[in-house]
Amino acid sequence: MQQGRFSDLFQRLARSNFRSRFHLKEKDRQYIQEKGMDTIRSHARDFVRTRLAPAQIPNDGKQTPMRGHPIFLAQHATGCCCRGCLYKWHRIPQGVQLTQNQQDYVVDVLMTWIEKENTGK
């Protein structure tokens, strides 16, 4: 787990009333257990690549549902739900395609939140 790597980020997110209200539900934990963390990471990569990485997103700010998949919750909890939030929380610029390193960073943030929530640590 990379929780230490993101400790400053998670401390800032914890101070946000909006971001701190997101938590995995039992249904999400069951889904993670059934699919496994490798599959969840694969889903995260796909969601980031298709919904967040393009330079221009027609429905930016509305492309991430509030429920339906553990990664969607993680995106809202970590400020990785749209390009505006990516800039606000992570200083990743808007209007340009995300690099592979930036996509990997976002996936690592999402998976760290999932692991933290799933283990309760």
Side-chain angles (χ1 to χ4, degrees):
M1 188 182 327
Q2 301 188 43
Q3 193 171 342
R5 174 182 171 198
F6 302 119
S7 60
D8 289 343
L9 170 65
F10 286 127
Q11 286 175 13
R12 286 188 295 120
L13 291 165
R15 291 191 296 268
S16 166
N17 288 333
F18 179 74
R19 304 288 165 199
S20 64
R21 74 180 179 149
F22 292 96
H23 298 284
L24 292 177
K25 296 179 179 33
E26 187 56 35
K27 180 178 164 183
D28 300 313
R29 287 186 178 88
Q30 288 174 352
Y31 183 81
I32 292 166
Q33 187 173 4
E34 288 171 15
K35 298 294 183 183
M37 291 301 270
D38 289 341
T39 298
I40 301 300
R41 181 175 284 276
S42 175
H43 293 171
R45 281 191 200 108
D46 289 343
F47 292 150
V48 169
R49 180 178 37 77
T50 60
R51 295 171 177 250
L52 210 54
Q56 300 299 318
I57 302 166
N59 60 338
D60 194 30
K62 295 177 177 63
Q63 75 266 36
T64 305
M66 298 289 253
R67 60 180 168 261
H69 195 286
I71 292 299
F72 296 154
L73 287 174
Q75 285 182 274
H76 288 293
T78 61
C80 297
C81 46
C82 68
R83 294 302 293 270
C85 291
L86 263 184
Y87 180 74
K88 176 181 178 179
W89 290 97
H90 305 275
R91 293 297 179 229
I92 295 176
Q94 295 177 268
V96 293
Q97 173 86 20
L98 294 183
T99 66
Q100 189 58 54
N101 283 343
Q102 290 169 326
Q103 291 180 54
D104 292 344
Y105 164 83
V106 171
V107 169
D108 287 346
V109 168
L110 297 173
M111 292 307 297
T112 300
W113 185 87
I114 292 273
E115 291 169 3
K116 181 179 172 207
E117 279 285 309
N118 203 35
T119 61
K121 295 180 182 177

